Amino acid sequence: MKNISILGSTGSVGTQTLEVIEANPSLYKVVALTAQKNAKLLIAQAMKHRPELVVICDESKFQQVRTALEGTAIKVLAGEAALEEAASLDSADFVVTAIMGAVGLKPTIAAIKAKKDIGLANKETLVVAGQLITQLAKDHGVNIVPVDSEHSAIYQCLVGEAGDAVEKIYLTASGGPFRGKDLSFLASVTKEAALKHPNWVMGAKITIDSASMMNKGLEVIEAKWLFDLKEDQIDVIIHPQSIIHSLVQFTDGSMKAQMGLPDMKLPIHYAMAYPARVQTNFPRFNFMDYPELTFQQPDRTAFRNLELAYQAMNQGGNMPCIINAANEVVVNAFLEDRIGFLEMSDVIARCMSDVQFIAAPTLNNYLETDQHTRIFAGQLVTK
């Protein structure tokens, strides 16, 4: 029995994590749930799973949640600082970080310092402060098992392999709803079109990131830190069917690929059960349903965000932190119809050139960079 703390339980990954737990009640128990602002769903989850702790980050919803859970033994806290308590809860064995954005950084650090193994779905943590997080995990003997389907695939391919045997990894990308489209087409796309992902059911922010290929760019940076790779060891390839979740090429020329139907519950369950594999009743892949698996190179000109992410990774320092913060601002603006699809990349590029670069940032530098970039990006959006 593993006690699970879920940061971001009302989002796409969080709700699917709970589905996995519900299907395996003898293996997992929920001890903490957190949400940003979806108080209604958080209350329902808490009443069903009876965790020790519930956190609602939006403090204006605190009274609603506390009143609804009166008469239970559930402790209710509010505010982002309370995420750190949920992440480091004494009774938790494993923390699933399913919250979106840089807000995941501090609670992930808290979980590591409390020596909790982590199922990482919050890629922004490693994008913003990858060197700091990976070193901290080594110092505290903490396993970080990725929940992203692509990084889970690489992780599974590397089990039993020597680290120096890796020549290159290939992160696969579906291409999103605008695969194959050119700049003239992308100039006029709407948020409604961008939110229609062909293969995956995800939250709004990550779906827009997929459409702009920023999601893949962030995954490239995340992979660098997760697997201790150099920039030229990470490649991206478009694979529209989303059956091969990623590949590893080894120094002897052989390759491993992890395959399966596009279902986030698979990597979630793998992370929580690791190092074991637990039998599931998930749908099985049938080769006859997919007689052709195809691949193509991404267009880094039309989908400029992927190129910007590579540039940020190559520059290092706080540059990945800058693009992540700028991207969070512009995606929110795009979802509110305040900026065009291609203009998102323009704002990100401007932040990369104008926000102060720090080659060897501390935690405070990362936090200040994040704040300053958000302010500057917001000003650019307004203009």
Side-chain angles (χ1 to χ4, degrees), residues 39 41 50 61 78 120 161 165 171 182 194 201 231 235 248 252 333:
L41 181 54
R50 299 297 172 121
K61 306 286 183 69
L120 186 72
E161 300 285 354
L171 298 175
D182 59 16
V201 177
E231 289 78 2
D235 207 347
V248 177
D252 62 357

Side-chain angles (χ1 to χ4, degrees), residues 215-279:
N215 188 50
K216 203 55 51 179
L218 299 179
E219 288 177 2
V220 165
I221 300 170
E222 181 184 9
K224 168 185 168 62
W225 297 112
L226 272 174
F227 307 114
D228 192 21
L229 299 172
K230 296 181 175 64
E231 289 78 2
D232 60 1
Q233 290 180 288
I234 308 169
D235 207 347
V236 171
I237 191 164
I238 303 296
H239 170 48
Q241 296 82 17
S242 295
I243 296 300
I244 295 177
H245 298 303
S246 279
L247 309 95
V248 177
Q249 180 175 302
F250 296 95
T251 51
D252 62 357
S254 64
M255 301 183 79
K256 281 186 182 180
Q258 190 269 331
M259 304 172 64
L261 294 172
D263 185 345
M264 277 303 298
K265 289 193 288 294
L266 287 167
I268 290 168
H269 200 183
Y270 179 83
M272 290 200 300
Y274 182 82
R277 282 193 186 270
V278 176
Q279 185 173 353

Side-chain angles (χ1 to χ4, degrees), residues 102-117:
V103 68
L105 179 59
K106 285 185 177 180
T108 302
I109 290 173
I112 293 172
K113 288 182 175 180
K115 298 187 176 181
K116 311 294 183 183
D117 286 340

Side-chain angles (χ1 to χ4, degrees), residues 40 51 54 152 157 159 162 167 191 196 211 239 243-244 264 272 340 344 365 369 377:
K40 183 178 179 180
V54 161
S152 176
C157 288
V159 170
E167 187 170 275
K191 69 179 181 187
K196 293 179 181 177
H239 170 48
I243 296 300
I244 295 177
M264 277 303 298
M272 290 200 300
M344 291 193 291
N365 292 146
T369 296

Side-chain angles (χ1 to χ4, degrees), residues 8 72 120 138 179 182 194 208 213 218 240 257-258 270 289 327:
T72 73
L120 186 72
K138 289 177 185 176
R179 176 174 53 87
D182 59 16
I208 299 301
M213 291 207 71
L218 299 179
Q258 190 269 331
Y270 179 83
D289 293 334
N327 182 64

